[in-house]
């Protein structure tokens, strides 16, 4: 069972110097991917920068930034592709940067994505460092960077921006910064529909904290006691966790302390109640505001956004369409291998998630990851986009990061370098072929 009492001990944000190895490694992986993409594209007579900034969803975002909402494409089969399907934060930032600097909207989108990808890498490091230590944090960033579709992190898409906001919101939850967590969750909700996953993490953590504090108040006669007092009552288990906080971090070993979820050390459990409630109220504001605005604009009420998504053939069917897509792969021999690969890939994701549960990841990470996986795998959207839709689920990679962190430095560097080269080649091949829709 996941230890629902788990909360991480250190409330401080990791300094840039502490995160520097992770950020430098991330920048190196992304630079390799861009160099390979440039060479591959040139050999095929294509422009790599155009692939990154002016194709597929990038065009929809820049059109929103330049012209606003209201553009749509009607297909011969009757489908209506409306730009209302695209959440507004990335276009807003593109418009702001275009106004402040001599950049085109495409250039602005590329710049936002590059900066957001670094912020996302730092956030992934911050969360992992907090839970498992700095070595695992570096490995988590590198594993996230070398994903097969990692090249999307350098595109004028919203995945990097969303992951940055989600990671730092989760970090804020784990360290008891409830208002910050709520504000970042609201911004994540203005970035992608999967912002619901961040909201779910904030709300679950908040509700669990409220329930625990009421239970403690009842046990102690309604008297709030400092967090340290509760730790002392959990001997010997809690005293070991407290020692782990003070001791140097062992490679790949969890450093979480058993404290009230989201309560920073040195505070009384009852003191952040109002901030926690405010953070929980703020969290869904972004998603709710945009969905309600779309409903008002379309004249279809609160469900108007679902109608917009239906025009793109997007919906939630519990995974039925995806299961049929995989099953259809086995109707011929050449495509059967692809079907088997899809099954193995989904099985690997589920195994990693279950491993995270067994390794007692903090509850907010498990809730966030579970919702991202469910929304990606159980949606009836274009199936080729599912790998990039899964990219924000970085906590599912933490078991791999811990395993990599246990290797000797030379061996882990060799493994990472090899996978980075393979990822760069695949990314170049992918974008020069069908690419992400």
């Amino acid at each position: 069972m996941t230890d629902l009492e788990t909360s991480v001990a250190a409330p401080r944000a990791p300094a840039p110097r502490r995160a520097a190895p992770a950020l430098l490694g991330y920048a190196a992986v992304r630079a390799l991917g861009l160099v390979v993409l440039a060479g591959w594209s040139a050999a095929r007579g294509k422009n790599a920068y155009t692939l990154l900034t002016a194709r597929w969803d990038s065009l929809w975002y820049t059109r929103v930034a330049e012209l606003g909402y209201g553009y749509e494409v009607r297909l011969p089969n009757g489908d209506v592709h409306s730009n209302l399907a695209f959440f507004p934060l990335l276009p807003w930032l593109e418009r702001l940067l275009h106004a402040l600097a001599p950049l085109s909207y495409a250039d602005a989108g590329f710049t936002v994505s590059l900066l957001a990808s670094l912020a996302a890498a730092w956030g992934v490091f911050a969360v992992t460092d907090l839970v498992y230590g700095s070595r695992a944090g570096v490995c988590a960033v590198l594993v996230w960077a070398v994903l097969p579709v990692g090249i999307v992190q350098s595109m004028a898409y919203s995945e990097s921006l969303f992951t940055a906001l989600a990671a730092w919101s989760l970090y804020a939850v784990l360290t008891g910064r409830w208002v910050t967590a709520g504000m970042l969750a609201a911004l994540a909700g203005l970035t992608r529909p999967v912002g619901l996953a961040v909201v779910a993490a904030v709300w679950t953590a908040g509700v669990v904290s409220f329930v625990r504090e009421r239970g403690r108040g009842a046990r102690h006669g309604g008297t709030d006691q400092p967090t340290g007092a509760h730790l002392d009552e959990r001997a010997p288990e809690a005293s070991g966790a407290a020692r782990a906080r003070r001791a140097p971090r062992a490679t790949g070993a969890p450093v979480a302390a058993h404290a009230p979820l989201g309560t920073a050390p040195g505070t009384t459990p009852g003191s952040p109640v109002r901030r926690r409630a405010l953070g929980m109220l703020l969290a869904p504001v972004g998603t709710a505001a945009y969905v309600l605005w779309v409903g008002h604009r379309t004249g279809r009420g609160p469900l108007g956004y679902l109608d917009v998504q239906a025009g793109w053939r997007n919906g939630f069917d519990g995974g039925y369409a995806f299961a049929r897509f995989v099953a259809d792969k086995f109707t011929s021999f050449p495509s059967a291998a692809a079907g088997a690969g899809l099954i193995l890939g989904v099985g690997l994701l589920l195994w990693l998630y279950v491993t995270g549960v067994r390794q007692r990841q903090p509850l907010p990470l498990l809730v966030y990851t579970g919702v991202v996986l469910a929304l990606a795998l159980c949606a009836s959207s274009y199936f080729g986009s599912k790998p990039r839709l899964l990219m924000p689920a970085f906590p599912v990679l933490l078991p791999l990061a811990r395993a990599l962190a246990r290797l000797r430095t030379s061996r882990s560097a060799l493994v990472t370098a090899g996978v980075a080269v393979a990822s760069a080649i695949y990314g170049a091949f992918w974008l020069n072929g069908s690419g992400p829709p």
Side-chain angles (χ1 to χ4, degrees), residues 4 21 26 28 30 42 51 64 98 117 125 137 140 215 217 241 248 255 292 320 323 326 378 391 394 400 415:
L4 300 185
Y26 178 80
R30 290 273 48 83
L51 295 176
V64 172
H98 171 75
S117 68
F125 172 81
V255 293
L292 291 175
Y320 174 73
V326 174
C378 298
M391 190 182 304
F394 69 91
L400 295 178
V415 170

Side-chain angles (χ1 to χ4, degrees), residues 51-409:
L51 295 176
L52 294 170
T53 63
R55 290 194 68 188
W56 306 298
D57 289 6
S58 300
L59 289 174
W60 287 90
Y61 282 118
T62 55
R63 190 177 285 115
V64 172
E66 183 177 5
L67 304 174
Y69 286 103
Y71 177 81
E72 63 183 30
V73 175
R74 293 185 177 273
L75 303 182
N77 65 356
D79 290 346
V80 178
H81 289 184
S82 169
N83 64 0
L84 290 170
F86 296 87
F87 277 52
L89 185 57
L90 177 57
W92 286 349
L93 294 176
E94 290 177 347
R95 183 181 297 177
L96 177 63
L97 194 55
H98 171 75
L100 296 177
L103 296 174
S104 68
Y105 290 105
D107 294 339
F110 183 67
T111 303
V112 170
S113 291
L114 286 184
L115 296 176
S117 68
L118 289 172
W122 192 0
V124 172
F125 172 81
V127 170
T128 313
D129 176 37
L130 201 59
V131 181
Y132 296 122
S134 60
R135 185 177 175 87
V138 172
C139 292
V141 171
L142 293 177
V143 171
W144 188 68
V146 302
L147 289 172
V149 294
I151 190 65
V152 174
Q153 297 164 14
S154 300
M155 298 180 68
Y157 272 42
S158 60
E159 274 78 7
S160 291
L161 178 61
F162 175 80
T163 304
L165 294 169
W168 285 107
S169 180
L170 292 170
Y171 179 84
V173 168
L174 292 174
T175 54
R177 295 176 171 89
W178 291 99
V179 176
T180 300
M183 292 174 62
L184 292 172
L187 290 174
L190 286 171
T191 308
R192 298 187 63 81
V194 76
L196 291 172
V198 191
V199 177
V202 173
W203 270 75
T204 301
V207 169
V208 170
S209 293
F210 279 126
V211 170
R212 284 211 193 103
E213 289 183 4
R214 289 180 63 87
R216 277 195 303 274
R219 288 196 302 270
H220 296 285
T223 304
D224 289 334
Q225 296 188 22
T227 301
H230 293 293
L231 285 173
D232 291 340
E233 292 169 4
R234 304 177 191 270
E237 167 186 326
S239 60
R243 285 196 301 272
R245 261 194 309 187
R246 295 190 294 267
R249 300 182 177 185
T251 300
V255 293
H258 294 271
L261 185 62
T263 303
T267 64
T268 59
S271 62
V273 170
R274 291 183 180 179
R275 293 192 298 274
R276 187 183 309 145
L278 178 58
M280 293 174 67
L281 290 174
L282 287 171
V285 166
T287 300
Y290 184 67
V291 168
L292 291 175
W293 178 81
V294 170
H296 174 73
R297 184 182 176 98
T298 60
R300 298 171 185 173
L303 301 181
Y305 183 76
L306 297 181
D307 293 335
V308 170
Q309 286 287 5
W312 287 81
R313 297 292 179 96
N314 293 334
F316 189 88
D317 62 1
Y320 174 73
F322 185 46
R324 286 192 58 184
F325 174 77
V326 174
D328 288 343
K329 294 293 182 180
F330 291 92
T331 57
S332 62
F333 177 74
S335 63
L342 288 172
I343 293 175
L344 289 175
V346 173
L348 175 62
L349 284 173
L350 297 179
W351 177 79
L352 288 172
Y353 184 74
V354 171
T355 302
V357 173
R358 291 175 175 171
Q359 292 179 350
R360 305 165 83 85
Q361 280 187 19
L363 179 61
L365 301 187
L366 293 175
V367 171
Y368 167 77
T369 305
V371 175
V372 174
L373 293 180
L375 290 177
L377 296 177
C378 298
S380 58
S381 56
Y382 176 73
F383 304 112
S385 65
K386 289 190 181 294
R388 69 176 179 87
L389 297 180
L390 290 164
M391 190 182 304
F394 69 91
V396 81
L397 303 173
L398 297 190
L400 295 178
R402 295 185 67 189
L404 188 63
R406 286 193 287 267
L407 298 178
R408 277 185 284 212
T409 301

